[in-house]
Amino acid sequence: MRNSKGLRTTILVLSALLILNVGLLLIFDHIQNKRDLELQHKQTELVQQQSKLKSLRKSVRLSALEMASDSSNATIRLSSKQELSQTLAKKTSTGFFKAYMTYSNGQSFRARKLKATAYASSSVTANKTLFSSGQDSLGGDYIDTTQLHSTFVSAQTTLGPLQGDTASGLVQVAYQAWKGDSTPGSATDLYKITYDSKLNKLTGVKKLTNLYLTTK
């Protein structure tokens, strides 16, 4: 009887210890999850603050360049105008090629022209070599027939010195293209551009060459 009673006591003690350990683990998990959520929230706040700070710096920098471009000092005025044009040209060029290189069907292919008007002059958007109808020789929709897709990736713009209000430059455009369900291919094209700092638009766009094309 004593052995039986002692065994029951031992089982009860072990059970109590097990319940206690499980309870402690649950409490620990709760505390850890709470800490993880707090850390994730703080990290999100930090990213948001960094993004706001980055935008603020860009805004302040552009304002400073705009003020300097009106300076009475000719050297400062010319230098700041060149740097301001370089900054704005990059933004304009990226906007243009994002609109130009992104489509998924015939309708979105033809809609590129309207989207590009925010970044390019009418002489560019009227260029049928750049903005074709997407029709084949028989009048069919080539884009829809081939299920051709294109997605913009990035644009690296290098602007030359300003000549008055205009400057020529080179843009390296990276994008992905594919047909139907095929594997996307990564491509890079090189374009020559003419940028008008007064209009803040591209007034000339010409494809020079395709640098390379790879598939995954």
Side-chain angles (χ1 to χ4, degrees), residues 8-45:
R8 284 199 299 271
T9 302
T10 302
I11 292 173
L12 288 173
V13 171
L14 291 174
S15 298
L17 288 173
L18 179 62
I19 293 172
L20 179 61
N21 285 334
V22 171
L24 290 173
L25 284 173
L26 290 174
I27 293 172
F28 176 78
D29 286 343
H30 175 72
I31 294 173
Q32 188 63 40
N33 289 335
K34 187 176 180 181
R35 287 179 177 175
D36 289 342
L37 287 173
E38 289 177 350
L39 179 60
Q40 185 178 2
H41 180 66
K42 289 179 180 179
Q43 288 176 336
T44 301
E45 284 185 339

Side-chain angles (χ1 to χ4, degrees), residues 8 13 20 35 64 72 85 93 118 123 128 144 147 165-166 214:
R8 284 199 299 271
V13 171
L20 179 61
R35 287 179 177 175
S72 58
S85 295
S93 181
S123 60
K128 292 184 179 181
D144 283 341
Q147 298 182 25
D165 292 321
T166 63
T214 59

Side-chain angles (χ1 to χ4, degrees), residues 85 89 92 121 159 162 165-167 194-204:
S85 295
T92 299
S121 65
L159 196 68
L162 282 170
D165 292 321
T166 63
T194 302
Y195 172 73
D196 189 310
S197 61
K198 196 171 184 179
L199 298 174
N200 189 26
K201 286 189 174 185
L202 304 183
T203 55

